[in-house]
Amino acid sequence: MPGEPAEKKQLVHHVFFWLKNPDSVADRDKLVEGVKTLAKIESIRKLHVGVLASTEKRDVVDTSWAVSELMFFDNLEGQAVYQSHPIHLEFIKNYSHLWSKVVVYDAAEA
Amino acid sequence: MPGEPAEKKQLVHHVFFWLKNPDSVADRDKLVEGVKTLAKIESIRKLHVGVLASTEKRDVVDTSWAVSELMFFDNLEGQAVYQSHPIHLEFIKNYSHLWSKVVVYDAAEA
């Protein structure tokens, strides 16, 4: 079939945010609210907005972040559409004052 | 309904591996093969095995890792089943010589 490869070889975009005020639940919740606005971007196939899970604390587990944004795209073009999308730019404008650090992992299906 | 909340409030478990031999494509592919053996663990709802995507290189994008393992669980119990599962322990025994560093992010749906 022509067109996009549907479920195959999806691209994972996982972003972790550290808050300027790490102890502020209000700031965390506000950022969660902000990340959820991204769901309207049409090239995002799945959006998972996360906060720290209460799994066992082990040395290898990074628990220093506050909010995560996990997205699936069909391909690199889908991710590019997202990066320059007005809703994404609006999100950065309205919520970037809340975070001190961002780390992004972009993974292609192996 | 009793029982597990299906698609709701899933737990995300995302692991990044750095190789002892970062330039070895053979070691990377071997570790990918190892991570794929985990798919048989019954509490894993979705497994995405990743390698570096060829997205735009920006300061915030960490491109130093080699292999990623993204899993969804229904809940903390599902993750606990995974951690102590014989297939997982076998994976660690057979493949841990390949990696130098592991970082884990556990995220609960916000």
Side-chain angles (χ1 to χ4, degrees):
Chain A
M1 269 182 54
E4 289 165 344
E7 284 287 336
K8 291 169 69 181
K9 298 282 175 189
Q10 281 197 320
L11 190 81
V12 168
H13 179 69
H14 209 165
V15 183
F16 295 89
F17 298 93
W18 281 257
L19 294 176
K20 272 188 195 149
N21 302 310
D23 299 327
S24 170
V25 174
D27 281 11
R28 186 198 69 178
D29 291 349
K30 196 163 174 55
L31 183 51
V32 163
E33 168 203 292
V35 174
K36 287 185 175 176
T37 66
L38 302 174
K40 294 202 189 74
I41 298 175
E42 58 274 12
S43 67
I44 300 174
R45 291 290 164 257
K46 178 177 177 139
L47 171 66
H48 184 284
V49 187
V51 293
L52 280 181
S54 50
T55 47
E56 193 193 344
K57 299 302 168 250
R58 299 174 293 137
D59 280 353
V60 292
V61 182
D62 187 333
T63 58
S64 62
W65 56 280
V67 175
S68 64
E69 162 199 317
L70 170 63
M71 296 171 176
F72 289 83
F73 297 100
D74 285 338
N75 46 40
L76 289 170
E77 291 68 34
Q79 143 108 348
V81 164
Y82 161 73
Q83 286 297 345
S84 59
H85 198 287
I87 292 175
H88 183 213
L89 302 179
E90 190 73 8
F91 162 73
I92 294 170
K93 194 180 86 182
N94 294 337
Y95 294 92
S96 60
H97 67 281
L98 294 172
W99 67 72
S100 60
K101 188 175 93 166
V102 175
V103 173
V104 178
Y105 296 92
D106 285 329
E109 184 111 33
Chain B
M1 269 181 56
E4 290 166 342
E7 283 287 337
K8 290 169 71 180
K9 297 282 177 192
Q10 280 197 320
L11 190 81
V12 169
H13 178 68
H14 209 165
V15 183
F16 295 90
F17 298 93
W18 281 257
L19 295 176
K20 272 187 196 151
N21 302 311
D23 299 327
S24 169
V25 174
D27 281 11
R28 186 197 70 179
D29 291 350
K30 195 162 174 55
L31 183 51
V32 163
E33 167 203 294
V35 174
K36 287 184 176 176
T37 66
L38 302 173
K40 293 201 190 74
I41 298 175
E42 58 275 13
S43 67
I44 300 174
R45 291 290 163 258
K46 178 178 176 137
L47 171 66
H48 184 284
V49 187
V51 293
L52 280 180
S54 49
T55 47
E56 193 193 344
K57 299 300 168 250
R58 298 174 294 136
D59 281 352
V60 292
V61 182
D62 187 333
T63 57
S64 62
W65 54 280
V67 176
S68 64
E69 161 198 317
L70 170 62
M71 297 171 174
F72 289 83
F73 297 101
D74 285 339
N75 47 40
L76 289 170
E77 289 71 33
Q79 143 108 346
V81 165
Y82 161 73
Q83 286 297 345
S84 59
H85 198 287
I87 293 176
H88 184 212
L89 302 179
E90 191 72 9
F91 162 74
I92 293 170
K93 194 181 87 182
N94 294 336
Y95 295 92
S96 60
H97 67 280
L98 294 171
W99 67 73
S100 60
K101 188 175 93 164
V102 174
V103 173
V104 178
Y105 297 92
D106 284 329
E109 183 110 33

